[in-house]
Amino acid sequence: MEWEGLNSAQKQAVETVEGPLLILAGAGSGKTRVITYRIANLIKNHNVHPSQILAVTFTNKAADEMKKRSLSLLSDLNYEPFIKTFHSLCLYLLRREGKALGIGSNFTIYDSDMQESLIKEILKSKEIDTKEFKPSVLGNIFSKSKDSFMTAEEYSKKAEDDKTSRLIANTFLSYEIEKDKRNALDFGDLILKTVILFRDFPVVLEKYQRLWKYVMVDEYQDTNKIQYHLVKALSELNKNICVVGDDDQSIYSWRGADISNILNFHKDYPEATIVKLEENYRSTKTIIETAANLIQFNKQRTNKTLKTSNPLGEKIQIKIFQNESEEAEGVVREIIIRKKSSKSGVFSDYAVFYRTNSQSRYFEEALRKKGIPYKIFGGFRFFDRKEVKDLIAYLSVVINPLDSTSLLRILNSPPRGIGETTVERLLKLSIEEGLSLFECLDRDSPEIKKGTKAKLKALHKMFTTAMDDLSSKPPSEITYDILEHSGYREHLENEGTEDSFSRLSNLNEFVNALKEYEDTNPDSSLEEYLGNISLITSEDNTKDLNDYVVLMTIHNAKGLEFKHVFLTGMEEGTFPHFLSLDTKDGIEEERRLAYVAITRAKENLDISFSRFTRKFGEVEARFPSRFLEELPSEYLSGETEEFGIRQPDRAPEAKRLITKEAKFESTLSKSSSTTLGLGKRVRHKVYGEGKIISLTGTGDNQKVEVQFGPHVVKKFLLAYTPLEVIS
């Protein structure tokens, strides 16, 4: 085959076919092309039968793209290389070989909903409160255990000897027993059971080692522990393993990805060939050298430098705004200006990146004001998010108590022990007595248990109090009260997961939006605001849009590229995120995330931040992200002098907040040292008893990490999540 268009490093990667090979593929360096050319080279030039090649990746989209591009180079073949995702590969293997483990070939695969349903069934059979032990939380614990190569039996042996840990372990064991009875596997089982199959039945493993003589793994930096063991086992006999990835783009540790897999490849295979693809073909020299300079501040990385032969291009624009609304309006204004002056003139050339989902609200509003179409990539529009719709339902009942649809939505959201049986009895009472569902909340019914009745009456009282406040309190204050007294805010705070913090941020943004509406419309009412939301949510569906501005979190941007990128919200605590500020690993992953964001831009990059933000309606001062300090000043333009990038005379407080690399050693504030400390046992409302394994930060930024079980480690911001010290 001809290697037309390949550079020397790409050619070396394609032509290295025997033995272990690590391809460190920098952003935009043509890794998919290298993978597909390497597959074609094995088949065309080395007489390897396509069936002897196994290529594994993470998504169906990536697998389909790899297959399509490989076949375009091998149009005369009658047999395809075996290109699969991790899960589809293991599904293929277990359907054929699972009987060795007692798994019937017709097993059912449980998705997350079916998994949670079974866990809920088990909890109810044990008379365990599903409000205290959420099936979704337990399902996440079980999945993480399997991703870490730990079975339910092993988890149980390592569990702490306290009530909560034992309960979780016993539920895990019961869950596995029930799945076995039903001949079902969950997604975590697919890879775990395959690795166990290979471990316990070497003959089966050898069969596939001899079948797949060449193993290739894409996005190796994103593999977790169990995936690592799977590909290691399959390639053990022939040692023809080729892994492709970029440690600088490892941004999924919260999903279980282990960056050490790629960093330690040379230790697993000392004889490995290492090829670095450092030539970027996507972006301007300004963008690439800025990204390369930033990532050099990380210690956990291989030695490589991204470079490009592309033109220098425009400088990166740095812009400061007073608040998020002005930032969004400024970004939209810039999009309009550039679109008018550009040759292509399409909105789809423009992407707005932000660190958290809750930030999208400002850009959605600014784009709607200008009539510009947009789509949120990998998520819902702000007012379509579950927690926001729940809050709107609460407020709708305050405005209109006859709105039974809204009331039914939130009767048990957050969970408060009002089940389907109670709802049926309330609806029956409503029909029999000719009352609204809301009125039935305050009625005595012999069919409803005393404890449940008290909860219904408390809910009724909360609503009537809010209704009475309509004439005396501003809408934002009423909304905040609803969040407090409904238990919704406390529920999310107590859950303490990244997802719950994200949902809490969305509720915060709803209150902020309402507060801003009040500021510009002093005589506004809650009814008027909800009416405006109804108009927004009834807009034409975005499915039919062909040209639109793209809004997305940076995590969702990985693997994509755009001509013009706006990287927004670059404030300390937002990006890097406040939950990542207390460890070196956390800061380094946030820096890798910034690196990913920058390298998505092809021609132009604008970076912006706000001086002030709101938290549940209250204004707070913010400071520039520390990452702005690490960008090379020669590639920057705009307001760099004003906010003090590399300027020695900026305000001492701002300088301290911008340049501090976080205190990585555990530090305690004086006020808490008498109650909290390393090794102390504490009780959490959701996770039960646990042991403090680290404490970092001070004041409002103090964070604590608690070990609740063998694979249940949670990080909490103490300002949000009070813990009860028990010993």
Side-chain angles (χ1 to χ4, degrees):
M1 291 184 68
E2 295 294 327
W3 305 137
E4 186 179 348
L6 296 184
N7 62 36
S8 58
Q10 290 173 331
K11 285 179 186 176
Q12 183 186 1
V14 167
E15 292 175 346
T16 303
V17 295
E18 298 296 328
L21 171 65
L22 168 61
I23 302 174
L24 292 169
S29 61
K31 80 175 173 64
T32 305
R33 190 180 193 194
V34 168
I35 292 171
T36 53
Y37 265 80
R38 189 173 186 272
I39 290 172
N41 180 39
L42 283 166
I43 296 169
K44 286 279 192 180
N45 297 339
H46 295 270
N47 298 316
V48 176
H49 193 274
S51 64
Q52 295 179 311
I53 300 171
L54 169 65
V56 191
T57 188
F58 279 85
T59 66
N60 288 319
K61 182 181 177 183
D64 290 343
E65 175 68 13
M66 201 183 297
K67 192 176 297 184
K68 180 181 175 183
R69 291 174 67 168
S70 295
L71 292 177
S72 70
L73 298 171
L74 302 162
S75 55
D76 55 335
L77 288 185
N78 296 320
Y79 201 94
E80 297 180 3
F82 205 77
I83 301 174
K84 295 280 188 181
T85 65
F86 277 98
H87 287 104
S88 63
L89 167 65
C90 293
L91 175 61
Y92 172 89
L93 291 166
L94 291 176
R95 289 283 190 214
R96 287 154 180 78
E97 311 291 347
K99 56 184 178 294
L101 293 175
I103 302 170
S105 60
N106 62 336
F107 61 82
T108 302
I109 301 173
Y110 278 9
D111 61 16
S112 57
D113 288 340
M114 296 170 77
Q115 180 188 44
E116 287 178 28
S117 179
L118 177 55
I119 294 171
K120 186 176 182 179
E121 184 183 320
I122 292 167
L123 292 173
K124 284 187 173 180
S125 71
K126 295 176 181 287
E127 297 184 344
I128 297 168
D129 187 358
T130 55
K131 179 183 175 183
E132 184 177 356
F133 291 92
K134 291 185 65 177
S136 59
V137 173
L138 293 179
N140 189 44
I141 291 170
F142 302 164
S143 296
K144 285 189 174 181
S145 174
K146 293 173 184 181
D147 288 346
S148 301
F149 201 179
M150 182 179 287
T151 64
E153 291 78 10
E154 292 165 333
Y155 181 96
S156 183
K157 289 176 184 177
K158 294 185 179 182
E160 294 283 329
D161 192 21
D162 64 75
K163 182 180 176 182
T164 301
S165 298
R166 294 312 320 162
L167 186 149
I168 293 172
N170 290 334
T171 304
F172 196 177
L173 289 168
S174 298
Y175 169 73
E176 293 301 310
I177 290 169
E178 283 302 316
K179 275 200 294 90
D180 288 346
K181 286 180 185 177
R182 302 173 193 206
N183 193 30
L185 301 178
D186 58 32
F187 283 111
D189 288 325
L190 291 176
I191 304 179
L192 176 66
K193 297 283 188 185
T194 302
V195 172
I196 291 173
L197 172 71
F198 286 163
R199 181 193 67 191
D200 296 348
F201 298 90
V203 174
V204 177
L205 172 60
E206 187 177 350
K207 172 183 173 181
Y208 289 97
Q209 287 176 332
R210 293 193 180 282
L211 172 61
W212 295 317
K213 294 184 177 180
Y214 296 87
V215 177
M216 299 179 69
V217 186
D218 189 24
E219 302 287 7
Y220 193 63
Q221 78 280 350
D222 294 335
T223 54
N224 59 30
K225 187 173 182 179
I226 197 68
Q227 290 162 341
Y228 163 82
H229 282 285
L230 175 69
V231 296
K232 195 170 191 298
L234 282 169
S235 58
E236 197 68 39
L237 180 65
N238 299 296
K239 293 291 193 297
N240 292 326
I241 179 172
C242 167
V243 301
V244 186
D246 182 9
D247 48 293
D248 290 336
Q249 296 186 72
S250 179
I251 58 174
Y252 297 121
S253 66
W254 48 279
R255 288 185 189 168
D258 188 350
I259 193 175
S260 67
N261 289 348
I262 193 167
L263 293 177
N264 293 333
F265 186 83
H266 67 287
K267 294 180 181 177
D268 290 333
Y269 305 96
E271 72 279 25
T273 300
I274 299 175
V275 178
K276 300 176 184 179
L277 305 183
E278 299 170 296
E279 180 76 17
N280 176 281
Y281 294 95
R282 174 192 299 151
S283 309
T284 66
K285 186 174 182 180
T286 289
I287 290 168
I288 291 308
E289 297 210 356
T290 296
N293 193 86
L294 173 70
I295 203 63
Q296 294 289 338
F297 284 85
N298 272 8
K299 306 299 181 188
Q300 264 196 113
R301 64 185 299 267
T302 53
N303 182 26
K304 59 185 181 303
T305 303
L306 200 62
K307 57 192 177 185
T308 186
S309 300
N310 288 340
L312 186 63
E314 296 180 18
K315 286 192 174 185
I316 294 168
Q317 295 294 312
I318 304 293
K319 296 186 178 179
I320 313 167
F321 298 93
Q322 283 299 105
N323 53 52
E324 299 104 316
S325 294
E326 287 190 13
E327 180 180 25
E329 289 168 3
V331 167
V332 172
R333 189 164 53 246
E334 190 64 29
I335 289 173
I336 293 170
I337 292 170
R338 289 189 185 176
K339 183 176 178 292
K340 284 181 179 177
S341 62
S342 68
K343 294 178 182 177
S344 62
V346 295
F347 285 121
S348 298
D349 286 339
Y350 301 88
V352 180
F353 295 167
Y354 35 79
R355 176 62 179 83
T356 62
N357 268 313
S358 60
Q359 294 167 262
S360 77
R361 196 262 300 179
Y362 299 97
F363 301 101
E364 292 184 63
E365 287 187 0
L367 289 163
R368 278 198 302 269
K369 283 179 184 177
K370 296 296 183 181
I372 297 174
Y374 69 92
K375 277 190 180 181
I376 294 184
F377 187 93
F380 293 103
R381 290 185 170 213
F382 182 78
F383 289 110
D384 289 334
R385 292 167 190 164
K386 179 191 179 299
E387 58 278 4
V388 175
K389 292 175 84 169
D390 283 349
L391 183 52
I392 291 170
Y394 272 104
L395 298 176
S396 296
V397 175
V398 173
I399 296 300
N400 176 17
L402 296 178
D403 184 358
S404 296
T405 302
S406 292
L407 182 56
L408 283 169
R409 179 184 178 95
I410 49 82
L411 266 179
N412 200 44
S413 185
R416 51 173 67 92
I418 300 174
E420 292 178 9
T421 303
T422 300
V423 172
E424 288 172 6
R425 288 170 179 166
L426 284 172
L427 291 170
K428 180 183 175 185
L429 181 64
S430 173
I431 294 169
E432 288 176 349
E433 299 199 14
L435 301 172
S436 69
L437 186 63
F438 177 75
E439 289 173 306
C440 291
L441 298 181
D442 198 37
R443 289 298 171 108
D444 290 322
S445 171
E447 294 185 6
I448 298 176
K449 293 178 181 178
K450 185 178 179 181
T452 306
K453 199 180 297 181
K455 294 171 185 174
L456 294 172
K457 285 181 178 290
L459 195 59
H460 184 273
K461 184 179 179 182
M462 181 199 74
F463 279 120
T464 54
T465 300
M467 291 170 195
D468 292 339
D469 289 339
L470 282 171
S471 59
S472 58
K473 285 186 175 182
S476 60
E477 196 171 328
I478 292 171
T479 304
Y480 187 84
D481 288 344
I482 288 285
L483 281 174
E484 291 293 303
H485 300 308
S486 67
Y488 210 119
R489 179 179 173 181
E490 182 184 16
H491 167 71
L492 292 176
E493 289 172 350
N494 286 340
E495 200 169 297
T497 62
E498 284 214 15
D499 178 61
S500 69
F501 277 120
S502 175
R503 288 154 60 200
L504 191 61
S505 294
N506 285 328
L507 295 177
N508 170 35
E509 281 309 322
F510 186 94
V511 178
N512 291 345
L514 191 43
K515 181 66 176 173
E516 289 166 9
Y517 187 76
E518 290 169 5
D519 291 345
T520 54
N521 303 273
D523 299 323
S524 62
S525 66
L526 186 57
E527 185 175 6
E528 182 184 327
Y529 185 69
L530 293 182
N532 287 339
I533 291 174
S534 296
L535 293 175
I536 291 168
T537 55
S538 63
E539 288 176 348
D540 291 340
N541 199 307
T542 60
K543 287 181 183 176
D544 299 328
L545 290 177
N546 295 316
D547 187 28
Y548 46 83
V549 173
V550 177
L551 306 181
M552 64 175 70
T553 64
I554 303 166
H555 281 100
N556 282 324
K558 187 170 179 289
L560 302 176
E561 58 184 48
F562 301 91
K563 283 187 179 180
H564 311 280
V565 167
F566 295 86
L567 177 53
T568 65
M570 287 292 285
E571 304 108 18
E572 197 73 7
T574 302
F575 195 15
H577 195 271
F578 72 91
L579 287 176
S580 305
L581 294 177
D582 55 349
T583 65
K584 280 183 179 180
D585 288 350
I587 289 294
E588 291 212 351
E589 180 147 334
E590 290 288 294
R591 190 177 284 110
R592 291 195 292 270
L593 194 56
Y595 172 83
V596 166
I598 292 170
T599 54
R600 299 310 95 193
K602 295 167 68 176
E603 296 179 8
N604 301 103
L605 174 65
D606 284 28
I607 299 177
S608 58
F609 70 92
S610 302
R611 296 183 184 280
F612 299 95
T613 60
R614 287 183 187 268
K615 183 176 179 182
F616 286 104
E618 298 299 318
V619 175
E620 292 185 348
R622 302 306 290 267
F623 299 94
S625 167
R626 70 189 68 195
F627 299 146
L628 294 172
E629 279 279 305
E630 300 166 354
L631 305 181
S633 56
E634 62 268 28
Y635 294 120
L636 307 181
S637 180
E639 300 169 87
T640 58
E641 297 290 326
E642 186 179 344
F643 74 79
I645 286 185
R646 305 191 182 282
Q647 301 305 310
D649 57 347
R650 64 173 157 266
E653 184 182 14
K655 183 173 182 178
R656 177 181 62 79
L657 284 166
I658 295 168
T659 59
K660 68 171 185 153
E661 191 58 33
K663 296 181 178 179
F664 301 121
E665 68 279 2
S666 295
T667 58
L668 295 175
S669 62
K670 294 179 180 178
S671 61
S672 64
S673 60
T674 56
T675 55
L676 295 175
L678 293 179
K680 287 268 189 180
R681 294 199 64 78
V682 294
R683 183 179 288 110
H684 183 273
K685 287 186 178 180
V686 174
Y687 300 102
E689 295 182 11
K691 182 170 67 176
I692 295 176
I693 57 175
S694 78
L695 275 153
T696 54
T698 58
D700 288 343
N701 288 320
Q702 189 172 20
K703 301 175 193 71
V704 61
E705 203 169 18
V706 182
Q707 177 97 40
F708 291 102
H711 274 273
V712 191
V713 177
K714 294 292 177 182
K715 185 186 294 182
F716 304 108
L717 191 69
L718 286 181
Y720 280 100
T721 314
L723 295 168
E724 178 189 352
V725 178
I726 55 178
S727 66

